[in-house]
Amino acid sequence: MNAQSEELALEVRNLAVSIKTPHGVVHPVKGVDLTVHKGEIVGIVGESGCGKSTTIKGLLRLLPANSTVTADKAQLAGYGDLLATPVRRMREVRGAKIGFVAQNPFGSLNPIYKIERQFYELQKAHKTKVSRKESREIALRMLDGVGIVNPARVLDGYAHQLSGGMAQRVVIALATTLSPQLLIADEPTTGLDATVQAQILDLISGFVHQEGRSMVLVTHDLGVIAQYCQRVVVMYDGQVVEHGSVMDVMVEPQHPYTQRLIASVPKPGEKLDVSR
Amino acid sequence: MSLVEIEDVHKVFPARQRGGEPVHALKGVSLHVNEGETLAVIGESGSGKSTLGRVALRLIDVDSGAVRIDGKDLGAMDANTLRRQRADMQLVFQEPFESLNPRMAIGAIVAEPLQIHQPQLGTTEIRRQVLSTLEHVGLPQSFADRLPGELSGGQQQRVGIARAIISRPRFVVLDEPTSSLDLSIRAQILALLAELQREYSMAYLFVSHDMHTVEWVSDRIAVMYLGEIVETKPTRELFDAPEHPYTQTLLSARLSPDPREPHAYKAFAGHKTVRDAVENQEPA
Amino acid sequence: MHDDVFAARRGVQMRRMLRQHPGAALGVLFILVLLLASLFAPLPYDPMGIDGGATLRSPGGEHWFGTDGAGGDVFSRVIYAARVDLSLALAGTVLSLVVGVLLGLAASSKGKGSERLVRGLDAFQAFPLLILALALVSLSGNKLYMVVVAIALINVPRFMRLLRSEVLSLRESRFIEAATATGASPRRIIFRHLLPNVWGIVLVQTSLTVANAIVVIASLSFLGIGVSPPTPSWGSMIRDGAGNMSSGEWWIAGFAGLAVVLCVLAFNQLADAIGDRTARTYR
Ligand SMILES: Nc1ncnc2c1ncn2[C@@H]1O[C@H](COP(=O)(O)OP(=O)(O)OP(=O)(O)O)[C@@H](O)[C@H]1O
Ligand SMILES: Nc1ncnc2c1ncn2[C@@H]1O[C@H](COP(=O)(O)OP(=O)(O)OP(=O)(O)O)[C@@H](O)[C@H]1O
Ligand SMILES: [Mg+2]
Ligand SMILES: [Mg+2]
């Protein structure tokens, strides 16, 4: 929290996404505002299917061609307007300026390249001069950092040989390899047990707070929100229904959905009530 | 007799290329699941939980040991018998999107177990059951005509659950079935699973990282660590008196959802990894 | 028997695909017009006819593409050649597709047979296939069906390899594992899960195969094998016209060559467009 400032890292105003489908046009995101300061972790929570991933993918221009993204503003500090960037140029932004951890880790790993090669390609694509050997060393260090016990074995293997949680950590390592200013992570720790989750979130939040970076973190885990985020945005049906500091929102939720969400946290020692 | 019995199973994934090391994913795992019971499996990432689930359904062959369902040895069955046996056992995959055929409509995916094992039901009845199952997992009926890529992560996950339960199998392996669901839908799905269990005496092997969920749903818990089951206990007992250092670490790492109670847990008390922490705590 | 309870109705959305790839749209249009014209259009002159009084006329109002050494109208001949050249190419492609896909599926199953098939394939591909095809056609006494077989000979291994590599990588995928876990029969897995996911890339290869077949047919008839005079074909027209090139009568070989190039381009563009489309729906 120390390095948190008033300086903006990302400012999004009125982001909307519409998708043309054979069954008509759908509007999964209907005017979302998102403000991220430097040195801050902003959490996004919301019902399954409320448009969290679509908001992020819209910003990063990762949606399929049959979708339209509009916004009054989508300003990334030190870069410019994300939506004004041609889709082709976005590849340079992702990775170097914005690290992205997708909800589906296997979707962002290439099934036919060894993991080592994916680290190499990433670094090469951003014109950092690296040799294969240097790249491997960097990769080993990154994987070690996310708690992978046998990094060499992982580097020499393919994605399908990884367990779910290992794949997630590989993707986190890839997303942070180029030390981007902003990290956007979509449920990055769903496949990790509490110990590893804590290790990784400690690592990332250290990275964010000490170096004035920032992070957007989508999660369903209110514990993660409460313990690691400074501010939180609550989404419902494609809109932001509540936002504010974690203290305010988690302790005194205003919107009925947020209240319901916080009330549904299971109490320790409780047995599932089947009768409802 | 238990419905599912796994006895001293070993599984090694051979090294793919020369110089690589083989992975000993399961090192003599034994467990049993009774009818109408939920056995939760928890454990470090990469400790072999998903592999165990695959082994329990004989989706991969074991190197040694036996898997029995209803007293019948899955390893001794020929392909046809095994296929018929699959009517009674289903799997919810850990990777929701990857486990759905990207070119098949959601409705067709969910209908598949019925089409395969109960074709006599007829198209109209199968349709009806698919739509009502979708509704049970909280998806609108209109999703039946969509493709998997047009769903959110949590919606895809629920399609996987719908597919696994539609034929009311006697045994289901649920591999992180609610990891992408928000708390209120998670509660709804868990309640659905519990209801089915009561009604049809279904047995669940429930893999999860979420201790709250595990506490909620399970009757017993097996803790895996480095390819072995290090303790199995009734749920209450495990939470009250965790024995293995890994289990203790795990329980102390739970994050409080109340920002006013900052978590005391510092990753592994100065150790670099869970494994360091566990190994250095272990009584010599 | 595999009646769909639910279907996501979309298939390959031809119209949008062509709108996004004007090159492919133009290509498809060109091929259609050429094929229809060769089949039904009234040509200005008899494509088989000769006219001793009008040899080697340059392109102009009377003979749009000029005339050849025997006085045949080049325009009529180029269009008419599409009949035999394109039909042979398409027939050869269909044969390659059917045989290649079946063998490819066989070669990607688990078991000894498939290994043998792959080894056989490797040995087979060590032959210079074009020369083999050449020998085959000429030994058969220039039977047209042999041209079709020759095209298949060259392209079946490609389909096989493609299908095998696709199917092998799909086999590892979770949704196939899911189908197995559900209890699907091998047959069901092939028809409901594997094939629908390889169609896109097979279609790309099919389009490329037509392009390749057009070149093979032209090469054969350039060497005087396969389609034999007086039936016009682009290859033989190029050969006939080649001699006239040095003396400045470029149009005979020129227009026939252009037809080949445009057809090849058209099918390559179509392959590109389909490939793009498949990649996008798959992700
Ligand atoms: N290509 C598409 N066509 C039609 N609808 C779509 C498409 N992509 C997403 N949607 C819909 O948009 C909504 C928002 O999806 P999104 O993936 O953003 O949800 P989410 O908040 O990330 O949910 P989850 O927590 O389950 O991942 C969902 O209801 C989904 O069904
Ligand atoms: N097909 C495979 N080939 C080689 N190694 C594999 C394969 N599948 C799994 N493994 C290895 O086996 C070990 C156990 O994997 P498994 O997927 O069972 O872990 P898990 O306990 O489910 O982990 P997570 O909680 O991260 O999902 C891992 O080290 C993994 O890399
Ligand atoms: Mg999402
Ligand atoms: Mg797993």
Side-chain angles (χ1 to χ4, degrees):
Chain A
M1 263 151 258
N2 24 15
Q4 195 178 336
S5 69
E6 287 306 297
E7 217 180 315
L8 287 177
L10 176 72
E11 189 183 13
V12 179
R13 290 277 156 272
N14 200 20
L15 182 95
V17 178
S18 56
I19 304 178
K20 247 192 255 161
T21 74
H23 318 281
V25 180
V26 294
H27 302 274
V29 181
K30 312 163 187 165
V32 163
D33 291 350
L34 183 64
T35 308
V36 184
H37 297 99
K38 292 200 169 153
E40 175 180 70
I41 302 182
V42 175
I44 302 183
V45 291
E47 203 176 30
S48 165
C50 71
K52 304 178 295 293
S53 303
T54 310
T55 302
I56 288 171
K57 286 195 247 169
L59 264 181
L60 293 171
R61 316 292 293 280
L62 285 170
L63 289 171
N66 57 344
S67 51
T68 319
V69 187
T70 57
D72 297 344
K73 195 173 189 185
Q75 190 78 17
L76 175 68
Y79 176 74
D81 198 320
L82 289 174
L83 294 187
T85 313
V87 176
R88 207 176 308 150
R89 295 265 327 275
M90 279 305 286
R91 211 170 298 170
E92 295 155 31
V93 178
R94 291 193 298 267
K97 304 234 182 270
I98 305 180
F100 177 48
V101 182
Q103 186 170 8
N104 171 10
F106 290 98
S108 30
L109 294 173
N110 187 325
I112 59 173
Y113 286 173
K114 286 189 178 161
I115 304 295
E116 174 174 17
R117 167 124 182 234
Q118 313 199 26
F119 275 93
Y120 180 65
E121 300 284 334
L122 174 80
Q123 296 175 54
K124 208 178 61 174
H126 292 278
K127 297 185 195 75
T128 334
K129 274 208 194 94
V130 282
S131 66
R132 289 227 169 220
K133 194 152 161 276
E134 284 166 332
S135 147
R136 188 180 169 90
E137 261 153 35
I138 294 174
L140 283 173
R141 209 170 54 235
M142 296 308 293
L143 290 184
D144 189 54
V146 292
I148 285 192
V149 181
N150 196 339
R153 197 193 94 210
V154 168
L155 283 184
D156 292 329
Y158 296 89
H160 76 267
Q161 300 172 323
L162 302 176
S163 79
M166 286 159 77
Q168 253 176 350
R169 286 181 279 170
V170 169
V171 175
I172 293 174
L174 276 166
T176 45
T177 292
L178 299 174
S179 301
Q181 279 301 308
L182 175 66
L183 194 62
I184 300 186
D186 195 351
E187 304 194 30
T189 57
T190 48
L192 303 177
D193 70 43
T195 60
V196 181
Q197 168 173 295
Q199 178 188 9
I200 286 187
L201 291 175
D202 284 352
L203 178 91
I204 295 179
S205 61
F207 175 76
V208 168
H209 295 316
Q210 275 158 32
E211 304 184 32
R213 302 173 198 283
S214 31
M215 170 157 172
V216 176
L217 175 64
V218 177
T219 178
H220 288 304
D221 188 336
L222 296 183
V224 169
I225 297 281
Q227 303 302 333
Y228 288 95
C229 298
Q230 283 74 58
R231 284 192 315 111
V232 60
V233 170
V234 184
M235 282 183 69
Y236 188 78
D237 191 23
Q239 281 164 317
V240 173
V241 293
E242 184 163 0
H243 64 100
S245 79
V246 167
M247 258 325 164
D248 292 346
V249 175
M250 301 287 287
V251 179
E252 279 175 54
Q254 301 298 313
H255 190 271
Y257 173 73
T258 324
Q259 290 167 351
R260 195 147 44 90
L261 193 67
I262 289 171
S264 54
V265 173
K267 309 288 171 295
E270 197 177 58
K271 211 49 202 158
L272 179 58
D273 179 10
V274 201
S275 54
R276 57 161 126 195
Chain B
M1 188 178 61
S2 303
L3 180 65
V4 181
E5 289 168 314
I6 295 178
E7 218 177 86
D8 195 27
V9 163
H10 284 263
K11 175 71 196 175
V12 179
F13 291 106
R16 276 284 170 110
Q17 73 258 29
R18 226 175 297 162
E21 313 156 44
V23 182
H24 206 151
L26 298 178
K27 304 175 189 163
V29 170
S30 301
L31 58 79
H32 63 96
V33 192
N34 298 319
E35 222 163 66
E37 182 193 43
T38 302
L39 174 68
V41 177
I42 61 175
E44 205 192 359
S45 162
S47 60
K49 303 181 295 298
S50 302
T51 306
L52 175 62
R54 291 198 160 82
V55 161
L57 300 176
R58 209 190 153 205
L59 285 170
I60 48 177
D61 289 328
V62 298
D63 293 316
S64 69
V67 180
R68 281 186 293 272
I69 180 161
D70 239 356
K72 293 172 285 186
D73 188 349
L74 289 184
M77 287 182 185
D78 62 64
N80 279 322
T81 321
L82 182 63
R83 246 190 336 264
R84 272 193 304 276
Q85 181 64 47
R86 295 203 182 283
D88 274 340
M89 42 196 224
Q90 291 288 329
L91 170 62
V92 177
F93 284 78
Q94 186 177 9
E95 307 88 356
F97 178 65
E98 272 70 22
S99 69
L100 307 176
N101 183 337
R103 298 204 179 267
M104 217 157 142
I106 299 300
I109 292 174
V110 176
E112 206 161 24
L114 292 183
Q115 288 182 315
I116 292 172
H117 297 295
Q118 299 167 46
Q120 75 281 2
L121 287 179
T123 311
T124 330
E125 174 59 16
I126 291 181
R127 253 191 98 85
R128 196 191 61 73
Q129 291 199 18
V130 168
L131 294 177
S132 85
T133 307
L134 283 180
E135 209 144 79
H136 283 145
V137 296
L139 297 176
Q141 300 197 342
S142 63
F143 276 32
D145 296 321
R146 289 202 187 182
L147 291 176
E150 298 168 340
L151 266 55
S152 81
Q155 291 164 345
Q156 289 163 356
Q157 194 160 47
R158 284 177 274 162
V159 173
I161 295 172
R163 167 173 64 189
I165 60 172
I166 189 166
S167 60
R168 310 287 183 249
R170 298 172 64 199
F171 174 49
V172 189
V173 174
L174 298 130
D175 198 349
E176 305 270 3
T178 57
S179 61
S180 303
L181 303 177
D182 64 284
L183 289 176
S184 69
I185 290 181
R186 181 177 303 178
Q188 193 186 320
I189 295 289
L190 294 178
L192 170 70
L193 290 174
E195 202 182 300
L196 287 173
Q197 182 167 58
R198 235 186 5 189
E199 203 168 324
Y200 301 94
S201 297
M202 284 157 80
Y204 297 142
L205 187 72
F206 196 109
V207 178
S208 178
H209 283 302
D210 184 64
M211 296 306 282
H212 292 301
T213 305
V214 166
E215 191 172 5
W216 255 25
V217 300
S218 65
D219 301 305
R220 286 184 302 132
I221 300 181
V223 183
M224 279 196 83
Y225 185 70
L226 296 177
E228 282 174 278
I229 291 189
V230 293
E231 65 183 312
T232 311
K233 279 202 183 126
T235 303
R236 205 53 275 141
E237 264 177 57
L238 187 109
F239 274 88
D240 290 342
E243 238 167 76
H244 193 268
Y246 173 73
T247 322
Q248 294 167 354
T249 325
L250 200 59
L251 288 175
S252 67
R254 295 165 87 179
L255 298 173
S256 161
D258 189 333
R260 289 165 301 186
E261 312 169 353
H263 68 124
Y265 177 77
K266 269 291 148 238
F268 332 127
H271 297 290
K272 209 169 125 264
T273 65
V274 203
R275 247 168 245 187
D276 283 347
V278 170
E279 263 134 41
N280 295 332
Q281 270 176 41
E282 222 150 15
Chain C
M1 104 147 268
H2 288 320
D3 56 341
D4 263 323
V5 189
F6 295 93
R9 269 172 278 279
R10 49 210 89 198
V12 190
Q13 288 155 339
M14 202 67 175
R15 211 167 340 126
R16 182 180 313 130
M17 182 180 89
L18 293 180
R19 205 180 314 135
Q20 280 168 3
H21 284 264
L26 269 176
V28 170
L29 192 72
F30 172 75
I31 298 288
L32 280 181
V33 168
L34 186 65
L35 205 59
L36 290 177
S38 75
L39 290 174
F40 305 115
L43 295 170
Y45 295 86
D46 177 5
M48 315 267 203
I50 47 175
D51 179 356
T55 58
L56 294 177
R57 296 275 170 84
S58 51
E62 195 151 332
H63 295 278
W64 297 336
F65 287 1
T67 63
D68 60 18
D73 177 54
V74 174
F75 178 76
S76 305
R77 287 176 68 81
V78 165
I79 299 291
Y80 193 79
R83 223 185 238 205
V84 67
D85 280 344
L86 285 185
S87 329
L88 281 180
L90 291 175
T93 302
V94 169
L95 186 65
S96 318
L97 173 74
V98 172
V99 178
V101 166
L102 288 178
L103 284 180
L105 279 179
S108 49
S109 63
K110 285 176 199 139
K112 281 273 175 307
S114 97
E115 250 170 61
R116 250 178 251 146
L117 211 52
V118 175
R119 243 178 279 137
L121 178 72
D122 286 336
F124 184 67
Q125 280 203 304
F127 281 108
L129 289 180
L130 189 65
I131 293 177
L132 198 68
L134 224 143
L136 227 101
V137 179
S138 56
L139 285 181
S140 79
N142 286 342
K143 292 278 187 325
L144 285 191
Y145 69 82
M146 266 304 168
V147 176
V148 174
V149 172
I151 292 168
L153 210 62
I154 296 171
N155 285 291
V156 161
R158 298 184 188 174
F159 273 104
M160 262 178 91
R161 269 191 199 290
L162 176 76
L163 216 81
R164 188 177 128 84
S165 78
E166 279 295 298
V167 169
L168 285 187
S169 81
L170 278 177
R171 276 257 156 82
E172 301 271 326
S173 70
R174 287 279 177 262
F175 71 88
I176 299 293
E177 192 181 11
T180 313
T182 307
S185 61
R187 218 185 112 152
R188 192 181 175 96
I189 291 181
I190 291 177
F191 286 103
R192 308 235 13 193
H193 297 281
L194 284 175
L195 285 182
N197 282 287
V198 296
W199 268 152
I201 191 142
V202 166
L203 227 60
V204 172
Q205 182 62 30
T206 305
S207 199
L208 293 175
T209 302
V210 183
N212 171 273
I214 290 170
V215 173
V216 170
I217 294 167
S219 315
L220 288 179
S221 35
F222 181 82
L223 296 172
I225 310 170
V227 190
S228 41
T231 313
S233 78
W234 294 325
S236 59
M237 291 179 72
I238 295 175
R239 184 185 53 173
D240 291 347
N244 303 102
M245 281 294 245
S246 51
S247 47
E249 291 102 9
W250 54 268
W251 52 87
I252 309 161
F255 284 113
L258 187 67
V260 172
V261 168
L262 286 180
C263 286
V264 168
L265 253 169
F267 282 106
N268 280 336
Q269 286 286 317
L270 186 63
D272 264 8
I274 301 172
D276 246 30
R277 187 83 214 141
T278 334
R280 213 170 300 148
T281 36
Y282 193 66
R283 270 281 119 190

